[in-house]
Amino acid sequence: MKHFVLMALLFLLPFVLWEELLRHKPEPPFWYEDALGQARDAQLDFLFIGSSRVGAAIDSGYFEAGAEKALGRKVRAVNLGMGYSTLAEHTLAIKRLYRLHPEHLRGTTIFVETLAGIPSSETWQTSWVHQGWPDLIIPSLGWADLYTFWNLSTNSRADKFYVTAGKFLRLSGEAVRLRRRFWNEGNVALTEYLTRSAPRQAYDLSSAAGVRTDDAGVTAARKLAIEISAAQLKGQQPIRDWEGAIVHDLTRFVTAQGGAVVFFATPLSSVEGAAWRTPLRQADLRAFEKVAAAWGSTSLTVDFVAPDSDFPDLWRLRQSRKQDYTDALASAYLQSKSGPRP
Amino acid sequence: MANVGVLAIFKYYHFLNDNVALLFQTLGLADPLPVLKIILPIGLSFHTFQAMAYTIEIYRGNQRAERHFGLYALYVMFYPQLVAGPIERPQNLIHQFHDRHTFSYPEVTDGLRLMLWGFFKKIVIADRLAVLVNQVYNHPAQYKGAALLLATYAFAFQIYCDFSGYSDIALGAAQVMGFRLMKNFDRPYHAQSISEFWSRWHISLSTWFRDYLYIPLGGNRVSRGRFYTNLLIVFLVSGLWHGANWTFLVWGALHGFYLVFALWSGPFRQRAARWLGLARRPRLGTAFNVLVTFHLVSFAWIFFRANSLSDAHYIITHLPSGLGASVRSYAAGLWGSDLGLNRMELLVALLGLLVMELVHLAQLKSEKPIRQLLGEAPYWVRWPIYYTVVAALFFFGKFDAQEFIYFQF
């Protein structure tokens, strides 16, 4: 038995050494790192949260320039849109941000992504992390949150173990990133090899926020958009219960800290938009706008039209239209504040 | 009777009710049977058969009754094999509960090796192939030709890797605790006949049916007609054991038919083999037999996996549709992602199968079990292999919680 225990410990030794090595390396940048860094030094005025659609559609520097011209003062804006992120992750990260730098977040406006005006209706009893990306939540998850994560979230046991291990071990997060890189880059390399004689297409997409810009990635994304939209059109149920939604929790929190929440619609292709422009969803939108007003938050109507050719993968706006959309968003926001156009 | 009754109520009542309701509806009458909301206890089919084996062996005088209720309960519900077997015999298992067990380093490490291998088959191969199989078999009308063919082959390997992987984990877990369970699989797709296939596939179940149904019916010591009937009965019951659905009955009937046909056509096939020259080329003959057996089994798996008889009918009738064109298309690397697996996923599945077959072939040529050879190798040979398998589990494993297929039985 002693021999077995010794052998087992020896077997685990490389993992222990790897963990030790990782602890001496700087941590991989957390996707809220920019916000954390800026909030350390000065007031953060605007944060944009949501998926990779937000990451692709908003140029925070351009927004800052426009807002500064309109408001007559320096502003700081950070785009926190991230592919495969969930509202649960954003909410926990925002709460952590406020915990660390409350003095520089008083009065901050949080722009929350919506699809055709309706935000995510997820609750704490649904999925907290996107499968395959459990490492996004680890830096923001406190010990009490971890307990709730296990009890309430519908994520798989594998994801829950990864996240829990990630709280203790750098190795867990590193291993998840390695695995993801292996699969993404492996598939890209294999696809390129198999289709090496086929003409390559260049896509006007930024790879920021985790967006894939290779042929296989874009093709897969287009197919997924069509499938998801078709699935969403079948058996639609009304979205009316916002009391228990994470977005309500976020709004309450931000408002209590003296901040403001603004709901804005990211541009959608006709494929994605089809599921969100049905009569039922229009009714849901009207209902949500009333709820948002009752919460003291703002729902923006952004005057921006984009044909499907502006969405190379049917999900995200092309780079060359980023500033157009940012301009439209800024205008809509400033008009809602009764301010002049930038 | 009690055991069969429990199985009948929990597992077959809904099936019976559905079919009676359909019959009465056709006759314009109301369904006479009440609808019962009952949940199927996990592993019911397995531990019911295990309990029946105990009763029968005591009746036959081959086993002394166990007086200790706790040990009897442990025999019926021994946790490593509780949900999906192997279906143990009391002669093999009960005495082990009475034996004294001490920690054995070789047994524990051998058991862990077996579990590791089981996890590899389940998580890397079976769960990956399940994505493709589920995509096609749950929406068969969207596919034809090569997609249906590929999904059928994929299911053949999925069910093998899933079930044998589970069995390896169960056997390994029991071995770590000092208990030896019976082997349940022996490279079934290397079988050269359906009869041989059933001596290699789910061995604990096939021997159970042999000892407690086939032989009591008379086995092959009866007239030829009765012999064939016995085989059909055994396989029909086996099909029904697997699930309360007409598809499982057809699957079982097919295997029964295969066996009967093989027996009936034996002399003709031997003459055909001599005429084709296969008798002079034993390796070619073996390869031919293995391929034919594999395809017969795979054809039957269509019914096993299909959600309904009409789905199975669609798959069979649309398998040849545009087969040539779609095979050429897939072979050219223009792999469509409409099968649920991207190129990388499919490549990993194929590599996993290749590794598995290489291990099987190595096992064939080796006098000792591969695990034993590995156990005897120096640590600088063993440990890199262990780390490679662990890394393979991590990098290539599919962790989307695909339940073990045989858990539903």
Side-chain angles (χ1 to χ4, degrees):
Chain A
M1 175 73 111
K2 268 188 229 169
H3 179 61
F4 175 77
V5 171
L6 181 64
M7 288 294 117
L9 289 172
L10 273 174
F11 187 81
L12 293 172
L13 189 59
F15 300 102
V16 173
L17 291 174
W18 189 5
E19 171 69 17
E20 192 55 34
L21 194 70
L22 286 170
R23 283 183 190 272
H24 286 97
K25 280 174 62 178
E27 285 211 28
F30 172 41
W31 53 302
Y32 265 65
E33 209 62 51
D34 192 18
L36 282 166
Q38 292 202 41
R40 201 175 297 134
D41 305 323
Q43 173 70 24
L44 274 184
D45 301 286
F46 303 104
L47 297 177
F48 300 93
I49 69 170
S51 66
S52 54
R53 293 185 201 88
V54 173
I58 297 173
D59 183 330
S60 52
Y62 193 71
F63 186 92
E64 281 174 350
E68 280 172 12
K69 218 194 293 185
L71 299 172
R73 61 175 175 85
K74 185 151 179 58
V75 301
R76 283 165 177 253
V78 182
N79 186 343
L80 295 162
M82 171 57 79
Y84 303 100
S85 65
T86 64
L87 195 56
E89 285 162 341
H90 277 288
T91 302
L92 291 170
I94 293 272
K95 286 182 175 179
R96 180 177 175 236
L97 195 59
Y98 272 85
R99 254 196 326 272
L100 291 172
H101 306 290
E103 70 287 2
H104 290 145
L105 287 152
R106 209 158 280 123
T108 302
T109 301
I110 315 271
F111 281 76
V112 179
E113 176 189 14
T114 69
L115 297 178
I118 304 170
S120 161
S121 58
E122 284 172 354
T123 67
W124 295 110
Q125 285 79 20
T126 54
S127 174
W128 287 29
V129 301
H130 195 284
Q131 188 211 353
W133 294 72
D135 49 316
L136 290 181
I137 203 173
I138 293 169
S140 322
L141 203 63
W143 298 108
D145 301 320
L146 187 63
Y147 177 76
T148 315
F149 175 56
W150 271 91
N151 273 348
L152 295 185
S153 84
T154 53
N155 284 106
S156 69
R157 268 194 299 273
D159 282 338
K160 287 177 180 175
F161 274 119
Y162 270 136
V163 169
T164 308
K167 289 299 295 175
F168 296 95
L169 303 168
R170 288 278 301 274
L171 186 54
S172 177
E174 181 71 13
V176 166
R177 277 184 290 275
L178 267 176
R179 182 185 149 104
R180 194 163 58 226
R181 231 179 107 187
F182 170 82
W183 280 101
N184 286 344
E185 291 179 16
N187 194 41
V188 168
L190 183 64
T191 302
E192 284 183 356
Y193 174 74
L194 288 172
T195 58
R196 54 196 178 280
S197 48
R200 293 269 168 272
Q201 200 165 348
Y203 297 100
D204 184 16
L205 280 173
S206 161
S207 58
V211 175
R212 283 183 63 181
T213 58
D214 56 286
D215 273 342
V218 169
T219 307
R222 290 181 69 92
K223 186 178 172 293
L224 194 63
I226 294 167
E227 277 173 7
I228 288 179
S229 182
Q232 284 175 338
L233 277 166
K234 280 186 204 168
Q236 281 194 331
Q237 298 292 319
I239 306 172
R240 300 293 162 87
D241 184 12
W242 293 100
E243 282 310 302
I246 296 175
V247 70
H248 186 202
D249 187 13
L250 173 67
T251 307
R252 252 196 322 241
F253 175 82
V254 170
T255 313
Q257 310 301 318
V261 167
V262 171
F263 296 103
F264 73 104
T266 45
L268 296 177
S269 64
S270 66
V271 170
E272 271 217 281
W276 294 94
R277 290 178 186 126
T278 59
L280 178 62
R281 289 289 176 254
Q282 292 298 303
D284 289 337
L285 171 62
R286 287 188 291 275
F288 176 73
E289 283 171 343
K290 285 187 188 146
V291 166
W295 291 349
S297 52
T298 308
S299 289
L300 291 184
T301 304
V302 182
D303 183 16
F304 180 81
V305 174
D308 280 356
S309 54
D310 280 343
F311 299 90
D313 61 0
L314 294 180
W315 291 86
R316 291 158 278 247
L317 191 67
R318 60 167 70 248
Q319 279 204 98
S320 50
R321 298 242 32 215
K322 202 170 181 170
Q323 288 186 353
D324 293 340
Y325 176 76
T326 306
D327 197 25
L329 177 64
S331 292
Y333 171 66
L334 292 166
Q335 276 178 8
S336 75
K337 308 294 286 178
S338 300
R341 283 176 65 90
Chain B
M1 287 300 294
N3 282 309
V4 173
V6 164
L7 198 56
I9 293 288
F10 280 96
K11 191 163 175 178
Y12 300 106
Y13 183 83
H14 287 309
F15 176 60
L16 175 70
N17 193 11
D18 288 345
N19 285 281
V20 166
L22 189 63
L23 174 66
F24 273 67
Q25 202 177 36
T26 314
L27 298 171
L29 300 168
D31 178 13
L33 297 174
V35 172
L36 299 179
K37 288 183 182 169
I38 39 181
I39 301 167
L40 182 64
I42 196 164
L44 181 68
S45 300
F46 290 90
H47 52 78
T48 301
F49 268 33
Q50 194 149 306
M52 286 171 70
Y54 172 82
T55 311
I56 295 168
E57 292 297 337
I58 288 176
Y59 175 78
R60 288 179 177 176
N62 297 330
Q63 173 69 26
R64 250 195 357 225
E66 175 54 56
R67 299 288 177 200
H68 193 298
F69 179 72
L71 289 180
Y72 168 73
L74 187 61
Y75 162 74
V76 175
M77 299 266 182
F78 189 46
Y79 96 85
Q81 39 100 248
L82 171 66
V83 285
I87 303 169
E88 277 295 339
R89 304 300 178 89
Q91 297 94 314
N92 184 44
L93 193 53
I94 291 184
H95 77 87
Q96 294 190 63
F97 297 145
H98 289 281
D99 293 344
R100 185 175 150 76
H101 296 275
T102 53
F103 183 87
S104 164
Y105 182 87
E107 288 292 305
V108 169
T109 49
D110 193 51
L112 289 172
R113 273 192 289 273
L114 189 54
M115 288 176 74
L116 197 60
W117 180 235
F119 279 117
F120 176 81
K121 285 194 284 189
K122 165 65 175 162
I123 296 171
V124 174
I125 305 174
D127 285 355
R128 179 157 279 105
L129 292 175
V131 174
L132 190 161
V133 172
N134 290 346
Q135 174 64 31
V136 175
Y137 268 75
N138 289 347
H139 314 96
Q142 294 176 16
Y143 302 97
K144 56 183 183 181
L148 296 175
L149 185 66
L150 200 61
T152 302
Y153 283 142
F155 181 69
F157 287 105
Q158 179 207 344
I159 192 167
Y160 169 66
C161 292
D162 189 283
F163 196 11
S164 69
Y166 160 80
S167 292
D168 287 343
I169 295 167
L171 264 67
Q175 192 174 337
V176 166
M177 292 188 293
F179 298 97
R180 284 277 182 170
L181 299 179
M182 70 180 290
K183 192 173 172 183
N184 219 8
F185 290 87
D186 185 13
R187 293 172 284 115
Y189 291 142
H190 290 196
Q192 296 190 48
S193 65
I194 294 292
S195 170
E196 189 185 349
F197 172 80
W198 281 104
S199 69
R200 291 167 174 263
W201 177 277
H202 202 176
I203 297 167
S204 64
L205 181 72
S206 53
T207 52
W208 194 101
F209 275 117
R210 180 196 65 200
D211 295 341
Y212 302 129
L213 183 59
Y214 176 67
I215 290 174
L217 283 174
N220 60 1
R221 295 181 186 193
V222 289
S223 67
R224 189 163 282 271
R226 182 65 194 273
F227 172 34
Y228 293 165
T229 307
N230 289 344
L231 282 172
L232 284 170
I233 289 172
V234 167
F235 278 93
L236 276 171
V237 174
S238 171
L240 200 57
W241 178 90
H242 280 83
N245 196 317
W246 289 107
T247 52
F248 293 111
L249 270 169
V250 171
W251 171 78
L254 255 179
H255 274 276
F257 169 74
Y258 286 156
L259 278 169
V260 168
F261 184 80
L263 287 163
W264 174 80
S265 65
F268 306 113
R269 287 185 295 110
Q270 277 169 10
R271 277 207 291 274
R274 278 198 296 275
W275 181 75
L276 286 168
L278 292 175
R280 287 195 304 277
R281 297 179 185 86
R283 278 194 187 175
L284 187 62
T286 299
F288 179 78
N289 290 338
V290 167
L291 269 175
V292 168
T293 304
F294 174 74
H295 281 85
L296 287 173
V297 169
S298 297
F299 180 80
W301 283 137
I302 293 174
F303 290 93
F304 193 95
R305 177 56 185 85
N307 293 331
S308 64
L309 285 178
S310 59
D311 277 1
H313 176 261
Y314 175 89
I315 290 166
I316 290 164
T317 52
H318 287 76
L319 251 172
S321 302
L323 187 59
S326 48
V327 166
R328 280 195 297 275
S329 166
Y330 286 144
L334 301 169
W335 177 262
S337 57
D338 60 343
L339 296 183
L341 287 184
N342 63 29
R343 292 179 177 97
M344 188 70 178
E345 297 262 12
L346 184 65
L347 180 64
V348 167
L350 290 173
L351 285 174
L353 284 172
L354 183 64
V355 166
M356 185 182 74
E357 280 309 306
L358 286 173
V359 169
H360 284 164
L361 287 170
Q363 182 67 81
L364 205 58
K365 298 206 178 314
S366 162
E367 287 168 5
K368 292 182 188 175
I370 295 287
R371 282 195 340 271
Q372 188 179 339
L373 287 174
L374 194 56
E376 291 166 359
Y379 74 92
W380 50 266
V381 170
R382 291 197 318 267
W383 283 38
I385 292 175
Y386 298 157
Y387 283 124
T388 304
V389 177
V390 169
L393 282 179
F394 175 74
F395 279 103
F396 302 137
K398 203 103 174 100
F399 299 103
D400 303 7
Q402 301 278 356
E403 201 177 67
F404 286 104
I405 293 176
Y406 267 70
F407 277 16
Q408 61 187 301
F409 303 136

